[in-house]
Amino acid sequence: MSFNKFDINSYYFSLILVEMQKKITFNTLLFLGIFTELLIFLFSYLYKENFGDVFRYSARYSGRLSLIIYLYCFYVFYISLIRNKNLNKLKEIVLIFGILHVIHFGYLAMSVYLNELPIIPVKITGGAIAYMMIIIYPFIINKINRINYHLVYFYYVGIVFLVTYLARIRGDFEGADPEKFHVIAFIILIIVFLKFGFDFFKNRNKFNSL
């Protein structure tokens, strides 16, 4: 077996992240996440004049925080499979993701209500399913014994993020102009999907079951 320079650097980078992850407790990560959500709301409150905009901007930046945590969850899942197939740390991270995404949903719901934005059932169905999966997954993760079911969670939630950013780029969201961040996030998600998908296919015999 041979390793190129990129493989070696990626391996050591992964080890560094894993070691950092071991030193930070669940409660610390949860506190930092909730504290960040509160900071987002506080800054929105200080810089916006009405509550409609306060919750609009809180939902916007809380959603970006959720994207970052989702990508980290995906990474932890990938590393967990490669190293020891132990999903205990992943369970903690996806639970934090679920809690923070519920806070994001609160901001989003208040933004929709206060800004009197139209609700189109067909458009929100996919997102509603993703929310349910995000909430339920941490509580059933240890009961799932097939990798395909884990992948359904990560890819489905990721695709919802992807479709959301695509709609932003196209200007389909009322009151939300397209930004460079939406394009960057879209590209990052595509790269992550392809990278993990390729590695999974390459190591499919190793990942038969958990």
Side-chain angles (χ1 to χ4, degrees):
M1 178 180 291
S2 62
F3 294 92
N4 59 38
K5 186 176 180 181
F6 178 78
D7 288 332
I8 294 172
N9 289 338
S10 299
Y11 174 74
Y12 282 114
F13 177 70
S14 299
L15 286 181
I16 291 171
L17 282 180
V18 170
E19 290 303 317
M20 289 175 61
Q21 178 181 303
K22 287 179 180 178
K23 295 179 181 179
I24 302 177
T25 66
F26 168 81
N27 289 336
T28 301
L29 286 174
L30 181 59
F31 171 79
L32 289 174
I34 294 176
F35 182 70
T36 303
E37 294 281 9
L38 293 176
L39 280 180
I40 289 171
F41 181 81
L42 177 61
F43 279 109
S44 299
Y45 177 78
L46 292 175
Y47 286 98
K48 296 300 171 182
E49 296 181 355
N50 62 74
F51 275 106
D53 284 338
V54 169
F55 282 102
R56 186 199 303 272
Y57 279 83
S58 295
R60 177 179 301 179
Y61 291 102
S62 174
R64 295 178 184 185
L65 175 63
S66 287
L67 172 65
I68 293 171
I69 299 173
Y70 160 77
L71 290 172
Y72 182 61
C73 289
F74 206 173
Y75 172 79
V76 173
F77 171 66
Y78 174 68
I79 293 301
S80 297
L81 287 183
I82 289 180
R83 296 197 70 192
N84 54 22
K85 298 187 178 180
N86 187 330
L87 301 182
N88 290 335
K89 192 63 182 181
L90 176 64
K91 181 178 180 180
E92 294 181 353
I93 302 299
V94 293
L95 179 56
I96 292 172
F97 174 51
I99 292 171
L100 298 186
H101 211 59
V102 167
I103 296 174
H104 166 68
F105 176 77
Y107 292 156
L108 185 62
M110 288 300 297
S111 174
V112 170
Y113 173 74
L114 293 174
N115 292 294
E116 299 181 347
L117 299 176
I119 299 176
I120 304 174
V122 174
K123 289 187 175 182
I124 66 171
T125 300
I129 294 172
Y131 272 107
M132 287 189 292
M133 292 174 68
I134 290 169
I135 293 171
I136 295 171
Y137 182 66
F139 300 100
I140 64 172
I141 185 171
N142 289 335
K143 298 178 181 178
I144 301 174
N145 56 15
R146 291 184 62 85
I147 188 176
N148 291 343
Y149 298 146
H150 291 283
L151 289 175
V152 166
Y153 166 80
F154 282 104
Y155 272 98
Y156 183 83
V157 172
I159 288 171
V160 170
F161 273 112
L162 195 71
V163 171
T164 300
Y165 287 122
L166 179 60
R168 297 276 188 180
I169 293 169
R170 294 170 56 185
D172 293 342
F173 275 77
E174 182 178 333
D177 296 326
E179 298 179 14
K180 288 183 179 178
F181 174 84
H182 302 140
V183 177
I184 294 170
F186 183 86
I187 293 172
I188 289 174
L189 284 165
I190 292 292
I191 292 172
V192 169
F193 288 167
L194 293 177
K195 163 64 178 171
F196 186 87
F198 174 76
D199 286 350
F200 172 72
F201 179 77
K202 186 172 63 175
N203 297 281
R204 58 192 179 279
N205 294 329
K206 183 178 179 180
F207 296 160
N208 279 334
S209 66
L210 292 174

